Structures are given as C-alpha cells and as structure tokens.
Amino acid sequence: MKKIFVICLMAALSAAMFNSCSSDEFGPSIFTISSGNIDKTAYTAPLDSFVKKCFLMPYNVDFKYKMEDISTDVNKNLVPATYDKCKEIAVLIKYLWYDVYRQKAGKDSVEGETLLKKFSPRIIHIVGSKNVNPNTGTEVLGETASGIMITMFRTNTLDVEDMDYSNEYFFKTMHHEFGHMLCSKFVVPQNYRTITAGTYDALSWQETSDSVALGQGYISQYSRNNYEDDFVEMFCVYLTSTPDQWERRLNTSRWAWEEVEVMYDYWSKFNNKVKVGTADIDSVGYLKSVSDKGDGKCTIIRKKVKREDTSEEESTVYAHTIPDDEGNIQFVGEGGHDNILIKFGILKNYLTENYNIDIDKIRDEVNHRSYYYNPDGTIAVDEQGKPQNRVRDVLPVLLKNLEEYNF
C-alpha cells in the first residue's frame, strides 16, 4: 500500500524545569534587548525589530528564525525557513496565539499577558523543512526542549490559502505545545488519566486513523500516545475547530469503526454513495488508501455493523449486514462519544480553576480571527461548505505592518 506519513507532535517535557521557572515571578530578561543589536541597514531589520518588540520585550521570548544546527537533530537533513515564510509565521504566531491569550485569558489583558509571561516558551525556533522519523514514517510538527524552547518545522510549506492545512500543520501545533506548558504547573487530573487508560499506545498510535480513535474515545489519533498528549490534543483540536467541525468529530465518535482491507472493486460499488475523506456518512465508511502493489486491494474505514456469521475471515470482510426487524442496520460496539465529552468537561474545569481560562472564549476569538462571520453570528461558508478564510486577507495587512517596524 502507498506509504502514508502520519503526524505527531513530540513534546519531551521536563516537568522539574517547568515547575521551577513557572513558579517564579517574571523578572529581568535573560536575553540582551539593547536596540543596538539590530542592524538597521540589514534587509532583515523589519523582522528583527518586530520579534524584539512583540516577543522579546513583552514576554522575554527569543524568536530564532535563523535556524541553528545546535538546536536541531544533527542526524536529520533539515533546512532553514525562507525569510518571507519567517515573516509570515512570526506575524501569525502573534495574531493567532499570543494576542488571543493576551486578550481572552483571564479577566483582562493584564492577566492574559501575565499568563503568557509565565508559561510561554523562552525560545521559539523556526525550521523550514519537514522533520520525518525514517524508522516510523511519522512526522514531527513541533517539539519542546526541556520546557524552554519550542521548535516549529515545515515552515516553508505554510500556505494560508488553505486553512484546514494551516490549522493541521501550524496553528494546532501552537496550542498543543502551549497546552503542555500549562500542564507543567498543574498536571493532568487523575480522573482524566483513567478514562481510556487501557488503550493508550505509544508504539503504534500512528497506525490508528482518526475515525477509529474517535470511536475509542480519543479526539485524534495522536491522543492515543499518552494521557498528556490526549489532554493537550483535546485542547488544541477544540481551539482550531469551528462549531460545525467539532460537532462532526463528536458525531463520528458515536460509532465504533474498523479498518478493513478489501478489493477495490468492492469499494467502488459504494463509491457513489459516500464522500471520500469524510467519516460520518453511513455504514460503508470511506477510503483510506489504495495498494501500490498492483493487487487490486484497498483499505477502507467503516462503522462496525452486525454481519452474517462466517468462519472464514475473508468472507467476514465481504459479508452482508444483518438488519433488524425494521430493516435498519445494526451497529456493533459502543463509540467513544461519552468519554470524549467527559474528557472535555474535565479539561474545561481544569483551565477555569487553575488558570481562569474560558476555553470557549479562546476558541471564539481564534475563529473570529480565522474566518468571516454572517450577520446572525454564524461562520460564513463558501459554495463548498468550507468556512470563509479570513487569515488569507489579514496576512498582507500584518506583513505590511511588520515592514513598518523600526528602532
């Protein structure tokens, strides 16, 4: 079958270091912030001035956009981000991460700013290329080093024309890593850890599709890695989802799903009944991958249903469903819907009680910055039903403002 890269967010956190620095008051900068450090004649002066004024001075964050080998895995073939992409990611990190929490976390902007001073990373490191693990085929989108530095990869592929792509590979990563930082002071509650404790799988989570994971009570496939990634994935997926997108995930989680290898001809019989790539249609499900071995096989993901009893495994795959007395499909197994709602409730209380963060206010602000709205307060959609992209139109304005920064 065609090799599919699955995505992971590596977060190798050092709790001891986090607890130590997060409990301290925000003190003098550990970096030099003298205006003399900026060469006003350099073509990078606008970005240097921007990151100094917007990250270093208010939050004590060193924004490193010139990739440093010492801060990356020397065994990986990584390349720096282009200057133009560095400008884009810098203004978007401020627009969709720092400004959101500053305005909406806590009772006012002062409390939000204090939260960022305590829990944002000390270093944000930008890398242009993908970071793929050759042994597993998984891709690292972002990683934290000892709770001090966040590295963001594949910046050269940033494309705000596609918000689904940008959320998956960039904006969700921002909130994911920030979620880990919040967990450094107040750990994941014990009652959250035990809900799906028996099905975490750090070795093969990447082999589980999102639909199957949702049916097991996880908001994403990476949530199955461990309970803390489960916790912060719930956090970042919610923040980067519209209400409709979130409800579609919840709907998918109502069912138990399975991955089955079948002949492509079998799948094609149902192809006109479903939309490829969606997971909440009917018992057939959707196409995951097509074999590249020339054997005519493919892998589909479908809801588990009651089928004709047969002793042969191959026959079971193709067996007809057994309807109930009224002719309705009988689904087998319970989905993870209830567990996901329980987990989300624990997350919501955790944020409110420990940080005075209303996750709904954060999500609303992210959505208002990301999409256009109708007069009735709903998110506007295009002819394909996708939310209308606002970031695409805002980015040129942000970049123009960046060019005006100077010291």
Side-chain angles (χ1 to χ4, degrees):
M1 293 190 296
K2 183 185 295 183
K3 184 163 182 64
I4 298 178
F5 284 164
V6 289
I7 308 304
C8 69
L9 298 168
M10 301 299 291
L13 301 176
S14 170
M17 291 187 69
F18 255 145
N19 288 333
S20 174
C21 66
S22 63
S23 62
D24 294 337
E25 292 300 319
F26 184 68
S29 175
I30 61 174
F31 305 108
T32 301
I33 60 174
S34 168
S35 60
N37 289 336
I38 297 175
D39 180 359
K40 295 182 180 181
T41 65
Y43 76 97
T44 61
L47 180 55
D48 294 333
S49 297
F50 175 86
V51 299
K52 174 180 176 180
K53 185 171 183 179
C54 297
F55 296 110
L56 183 57
M57 294 177 68
Y59 304 115
N60 196 18
V61 174
D62 189 12
F63 192 97
K64 293 182 179 293
Y65 66 91
K66 300 173 183 177
M67 192 186 89
E68 297 181 350
D69 289 340
I70 194 172
S71 300
T72 60
D73 186 346
V74 295
N75 296 312
K76 300 286 184 66
N77 186 22
L78 303 174
V79 301
T82 66
Y83 179 62
D84 285 343
K85 289 300 180 183
C86 288
K87 290 192 295 183
E88 290 182 9
I89 197 65
V91 298
L92 290 173
I93 285 176
K94 179 179 184 295
Y95 178 71
L96 287 172
W97 177 3
Y98 278 77
D99 286 355
V100 169
Y101 287 99
R102 183 177 62 82
Q103 293 183 17
K104 297 299 179 180
K107 62 183 179 181
D108 53 34
S109 60
V110 174
E111 193 169 323
E113 190 170 287
T114 300
L115 178 79
L116 288 167
K117 288 177 179 179
K118 288 184 176 181
F119 294 101
S120 66
R122 297 281 66 85
I123 301 171
I124 297 176
H125 185 215
I126 304 301
V127 175
S129 55
K130 297 179 181 180
N131 183 2
V132 178
N133 294 315
N135 295 329
T136 62
T138 57
E139 181 181 345
V140 181
L141 296 184
E143 62 185 4
T144 58
S146 301
I148 299 297
M149 178 176 68
I150 284 181
T151 301
M152 297 187 67
F153 298 95
R154 71 149 59 201
T155 305
N156 285 340
T157 71
L158 176 62
D159 180 10
V160 297
E161 293 290 326
D162 187 340
M163 279 301 293
D164 289 340
Y165 174 86
S166 296
N167 274 325
E168 181 65 28
Y169 291 100
F170 297 99
F171 308 147
K172 194 170 78 172
T173 305
M174 299 173 191
H175 298 292
H176 179 103
E177 302 301 349
F178 189 63
H180 276 302
M181 293 181 173
L182 296 178
C183 290
S184 67
K185 183 172 184 179
F186 298 101
V187 298
V188 177
Q190 185 63 33
N191 57 343
Y192 190 103
R193 305 182 192 191
T194 58
I195 295 172
T196 51
T199 53
Y200 289 114
D201 188 351
L203 296 179
S204 57
W205 61 264
Q206 67 271 20
E207 298 173 7
T208 303
S209 66
D210 271 354
S211 297
V212 174
L214 284 161
Q216 295 174 345
Y218 297 98
I219 202 62
S220 70
Q221 62 170 191
Y222 188 50
S223 297
R224 296 187 64 243
N225 187 43
N226 57 57
Y227 65 78
E228 186 168 307
D229 282 316
D230 184 10
F231 195 68
V232 299
E233 276 289 282
M234 184 74 71
F235 178 67
C236 71
V237 170
Y238 184 76
L239 291 180
T240 53
S241 297
T242 67
D244 286 345
Q245 290 168 342
W246 181 255
E247 285 303 316
R248 284 201 294 272
R249 283 184 181 264
L250 292 182
N251 186 53
T252 300
S253 73
R254 295 178 187 276
W255 318 103
W257 294 77
E258 61 184 352
E259 294 187 17
V260 184
E261 189 177 67
V262 299
M263 298 303 296
Y264 188 80
D265 288 344
Y266 169 80
W267 161 255
S268 62
K269 294 178 183 178
F270 307 100
N271 200 26
N272 63 341
K273 300 179 182 179
V274 300
K275 297 177 182 178
V276 175
T278 58
D280 55 356
I281 315 99
D282 59 17
S283 63
V284 176
Y286 63 98
L287 181 68
K288 178 183 179 182
S289 59
V290 178
S291 171
D292 58 2
K293 299 178 182 178
D295 54 8
K297 293 182 179 181
C298 67
T299 300
I300 63 172
I301 302 173
R302 66 187 184 188
K303 296 175 183 176
K304 291 184 179 180
V305 300
K306 191 172 184 180
R307 297 178 182 275
E308 294 174 340
D309 188 18
T310 176
S311 58
E312 297 182 15
E313 182 179 351
E314 185 75 4
S315 298
T316 303
V317 170
Y318 296 97
H320 294 293
T321 60
I322 302 176
D324 60 18
D325 293 338
E326 298 179 354
N328 298 315
I329 291 175
Q330 301 182 72
F331 295 100
V332 178
E334 295 183 4
H337 181 264
D338 290 346
N339 282 338
I340 287 178
L341 290 183
I342 293 171
K343 287 179 177 180
F344 181 71
I346 295 173
L347 168 67
K348 196 170 185 178
N349 289 336
Y350 165 95
L351 293 170
T352 301
E353 294 174 2
N354 295 319
Y355 295 105
N356 197 21
I357 291 176
D358 184 335
I359 193 171
D360 291 321
K361 288 185 178 179
I362 301 293
R363 200 268 294 267
D364 287 346
E365 183 66 18
V366 170
N367 278 332
H368 274 88
R369 289 168 178 260
S370 300
Y371 307 109
Y372 287 105
Y373 275 67
N374 295 314
D376 63 0
T378 59
I379 294 177
V381 298
D382 59 21
E383 57 273 12
Q384 282 82 38
K386 287 189 174 184
Q388 290 187 9
N389 186 344
R390 184 166 182 258
V391 173
R392 173 181 54 210
D393 298 329
V394 169
L395 181 59
V397 178
L398 298 176
L399 292 174
K400 182 179 179 181
N401 291 339
L402 178 148
E403 291 297 333
E404 296 175 353
Y405 272 85
N406 199 5
F407 280 84

